[in-house]
C-alpha cells in the first residue's frame, strides 16, 4: 500500500468528527530493538498495517520519559521521548510516515500531575516550604497536634490517602500514585508551560491531543481544605453536578481549555482535543464545546452492558449531548484502562468484574466464543453510529483480557496501592501478537508483560487473509464505513422501543445504510436489502448476538 490509497480519509478542519481512531499503547504495540518494550520505531514499522486496517488517526498513549510508576502516565519531561522508546527524530519520522498514508496523529497530554522525577518536583523538594518551586505543586501542612495527619481526607484513585508526607513534615497531593504529584493550576507558570508544550508538539505536526484526567486539574485549595468522605473517586465523580467539588469537574477548569483552544486555532487545520472526563453527560457538554477541547469521551457507552434498551437510551443521550455541544459523539468499547470488551461482554450480568479479575478469570468462567461473538456485533454497531469511533490496539484481533497474569508479573501500581484488592489494568496492556510463533509472537524481545500461549492463533499472521477472521471483519467494516459515511451525522431509529422487539436495535443512516443488532439468542427476521456485512454468518435470518449492515434503496 502507498499513500496514493489514502484519499478516502477525511481532511480539512472537521476530519475528526466521524473519524476512526486507533489507540496505541506504545510499550505494548511493537518492539523494534528487542528489549521487550514497544517503541516509536516499532509504531513506524507498522504504519502500513494501520493503513491497511483503514484507520483515520492514531492516538498514542504517553511515550515521554517516565519511571513507569503508572505505565507512562508519570511524565518526567513533556517535550521529549523516553530514551527506551526512541528519540525526537524517531517521533518526527513516525509522524511523517503516518501523514504519508493519510493518518492523523493524536498524542496524550497528562496535565493533572507530573512524575516525581520531573525537574520541577525535584526543585520543589530541594527548595523547601514556602518557595516558588513548591508553589507549582500542592503542598500543605498536616492536621493533628504535630501535623501527623493528612491535610484532608482526599483519597487516591489508586487506593489509600491522596497525600504523602515528606521528611520536613509537609504533605504533597497526588490523586494517583505518590510518584505522580499534582500540579497547582492556580500557578500561572504551570499554565504557561503547558501552552509551550502544546505548541512544541503542534509545530512537529501533531494533529490533536487526548487530555488525561481533564476534569481534575483545578482544585479548591482555600483553607481549610474541604473533606469529601472516603468514597472512591469513581463514586464521587458520579455525584458531581454543580462544578463545586473540591477537586473534580470544577467550573474554573474550562478557563484553561478556552486558552488551549486559542492555541489549537493558531494552526491550519486547527488542532483537535478530546477530554478524558468522567462526568455526567450534562457536564460533558462543557468540555466538548467548540470554544473548549471540542470533543469528550463517552464513558456511559463503554460502561453499558449487553442490553438493547439500555444502549438505545445511552446512544440517544450521547447524541443529544454532542449536538448541544456543537461536537460529534464519541464511541469506545475498549481502552488501556478497562477490561477488553471481548471478555467484558461475556461476564454474566451482575457479576463483579473486579472479583473476576482477582480470580484470574476463572470465577465466573467465561465463554470466550460468546464474548468474541458479542464483541464483533458490538463493534459493527459502534462503527455505524454517527461520530468518532475510538478503537484500542488488538481489539481488531479479538484479543481477550489476560486475567491470569501471575502476581509477580503485575506492573500496575493499583495492585500494591489497593493492598491486593484490585488487580489493575495489566490484562489489557499485554503486548500484541504479530506472528504465530516465536518467543514473543513477533512483538520483539521478551515482552515486559507475559503473553499467553493462545495469542499465536489470534495473531495478525494467523488472521490475515482468513475469511471470517476478526481482523478481516474490521478491515472490511472500516473500508465500507469510509464509503458510507458522509457529512450528515444523523440517524433514525426503526421500530418503537415500547412495542417493538426488545432484543433488536435497528437504525438507518443517510443513503439507506441500515444497522441491525440482535441482542437475543434466537434468529430474527431480516429486512429486505443488500447485505453489506455481518458480524456472524447469516443464513435465512438475523442470528442471535449478531449485527448486520444492509443497504436499501
Amino acid at each position: 500500500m502507498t499513500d496514493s490509497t489514502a484519499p478516502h480519509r477525511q481532511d480539512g478542519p472537521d476530519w475528526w468528527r466521524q473519524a476512526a481512531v486507533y489507540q496505541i499503547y506504545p510499550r505494548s504495540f511493537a518492539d523494534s530493538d528487542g528489549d521487550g518494550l514497544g517503541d516509536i520505531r516499532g509504531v513506524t514499522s507498522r504504519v502500513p498495517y494501520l493503513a491497511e486496517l483503514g484507520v483515520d488517526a492514531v492516538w498514542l498513549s504517553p511515550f515521554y520519559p517516565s519511571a513507569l510508576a503508572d505505565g507512562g502516565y508519570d511524565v518526567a519531561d513533556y517535550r521529549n521521548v523516553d530514551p527506551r522508546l526512541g528519540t525526537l527524530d524517531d517521533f518526527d519520522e513516525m509522524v511523517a510516515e503516518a501523514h504519508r498514508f493519510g493518518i492523523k496523529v493524536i498524542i496524550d497530554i497528562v496535565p493533572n500531575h507530573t512524575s516525581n522525577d520531573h525537574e520541577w518536583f525535584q526543585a520543589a523538594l530541594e527548595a523547601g516550604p514556602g518557595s516558588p518551586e513548591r508553589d507549582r505543586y500542592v503542598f500543605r501542612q498536616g492536621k493533628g497536634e504535630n501535623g501527623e495527619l493528612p491535610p484532608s481526607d482526599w483519597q487516591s484513585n489508586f487506593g489509600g490517602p491522596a497525600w504523602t508526607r515528606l521528611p520536613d513534615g509537609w504533605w504533597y497531593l497526588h490523586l494517583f500514585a505518590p510518584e505522580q504529584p499534582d500540579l497547582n493550576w492556580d500557578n500561572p507558570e504551570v499554565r504557561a508551560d503547558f501552552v509551550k508544550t502544546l505548541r512544541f508538539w503542534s509545530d512537529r505536526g501533531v494533529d490533536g491531543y487526548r487530555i488525561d484526567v481533564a476534569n481534575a486539574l483545578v482544585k479548591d485549595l482555600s483553607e481549610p481544605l474541604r473533606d469529601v468522605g472516603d468514597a472512591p473517586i469513581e463514586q464521587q465523580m458520579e455525584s458531581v453536578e454543580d462544578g463545586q467539588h473540591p477537586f473534580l469537574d470544577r467550573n474554573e477548569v474550562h478557563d484553561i481549555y478556552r486558552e488551549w483552544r486559542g492555541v489549537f486555532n493558531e494552526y491550519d487545520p486547527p488542532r483537535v482535543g478530546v477530554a478524558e472526563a468522567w462526568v455526567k453527560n450534562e457536564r460533558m457538554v462543557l468540555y466538548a464545546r467548540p470554544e473548549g477541547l471540542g470533543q469528550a469521551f463517552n464513558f456511559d457507552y463503554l460502561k453499558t452492558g449487553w442490553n438493547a434498551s439500555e444502549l438505545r437510551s445511552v446512544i440517544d443521550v450521547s447524541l443529544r449531548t454532542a449536538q448541544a455541544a456543537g461536537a460529534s459523539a464519541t464511541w469506545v468499547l475498549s481502552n488501556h484502562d478497562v477490561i477488553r470488551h471481548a471478555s467484558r461482554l461475556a461476564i454474566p450480568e451482575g457479576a463483579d468484574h473486579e472479583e473476576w479479575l482477582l480470580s484470574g478469570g476463572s470465577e465466573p468462567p467465561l465463554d470466550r466464543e460468546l464474548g468474541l461473538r458479542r464483541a464483533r456485533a458490538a463493534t459493527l454497531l459502534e462503527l455505524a453510529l454517527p461520530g468518532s469511533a475510538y478503537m484500542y490496539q488488538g481489539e481488531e484481533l479479538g484479543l481477550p483480557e489476560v486475567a491470569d497474569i501471575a502476581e509477580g508479573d503485575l506492573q500496575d501500581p493499583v495492585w500494591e496501592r489497593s493492598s491486593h484488592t484490585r488487580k489493575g489494568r495489566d490484562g489489557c496492556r499485554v503486548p500484541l501478537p504479530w506472528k504465530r510463533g516465536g518467543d514473543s509472537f513477533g512483538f520483539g524481545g521478551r515482552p515486559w508483560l507475559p503473553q499467553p500461549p493462545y495469542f499465536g492463533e489470534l495473531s495478525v499472521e494467523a488472521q490475515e487473509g482468513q475469511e471470517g477472521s476478526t481482523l478481516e471483519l474490521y478491515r472490511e467494516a472500516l473500508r465500507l464505513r469510509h464509503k458510507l459515511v458522509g457529512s450528515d451525522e444523523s440517524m433514525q431509529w426503526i421500530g418503537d422501543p415500547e412495542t417493538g422487539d426488545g432484543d433488536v436495535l435497528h437504525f438507518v443512516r443517510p443513503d439507506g445504510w441500515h444497522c441491525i443488532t440482535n441482542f437475543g439468542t434466537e434468529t430474527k427476521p431480516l429486512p429486505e436489502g443488500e447485505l453489506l456485512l455481518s458480524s456472524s454468518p447469516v443464513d435465512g435470518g438475523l442470528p442471535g448476538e449478531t449485527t448486520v449492515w444492509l443497504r436499501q434503496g
Side-chain angles (χ1 to χ4, degrees), residues 331-343:
W331 315 103
V332 61
L333 290 166
S334 286
N335 63 32
H336 65 291
D337 282 335
V338 300
I339 295 172
R340 286 185 176 275
H341 67 281
S343 295

Side-chain angles (χ1 to χ4, degrees), residues 155-160 162 174-176 232-234 237 414 422:
Q155 296 294 297
S156 162
N157 195 51
F158 291 160
H174 52 87
L175 293 183
F176 293 86
I233 286 181
E234 294 94 332
M237 287 178 179
V414 169
R422 294 165 58 195

Side-chain angles (χ1 to χ4, degrees), residues 25-68:
Y25 192 74
R27 291 168 173 83
S28 297
F29 188 65
D31 169 23
S32 71
D33 59 10
D35 66 355
L37 203 62
D39 47 44
I40 298 298
R41 287 189 176 184
V43 175
T44 305
S45 72
R46 300 297 184 179
V47 168
Y49 167 81
L50 297 169
E52 181 72 21
L53 184 60
V55 302
D56 300 300
V58 293
W59 150 33
L60 271 72
S61 292
F63 50 83
Y64 313 107
S66 172
L68 302 184

Side-chain angles (χ1 to χ4, degrees), residues 205 251 299 319 471:
N251 291 327
F299 293 116
L319 290 172
L471 174 59

Side-chain angles (χ1 to χ4, degrees), residues 28 52 68 228 258 366 531:
S28 297
E52 181 72 21
L68 302 184
V228 295
R258 276 189 286 271
L366 297 192
L531 180 63

Side-chain angles (χ1 to χ4, degrees), residues 276-294:
E276 184 209 26
W278 291 84
V279 298
K280 292 187 175 182
N281 267 298
E282 55 268 27
R283 298 287 299 176
M284 193 183 301
V285 171
L286 302 175
Y287 296 86
R289 294 175 297 184
E291 63 267 32
L293 292 172

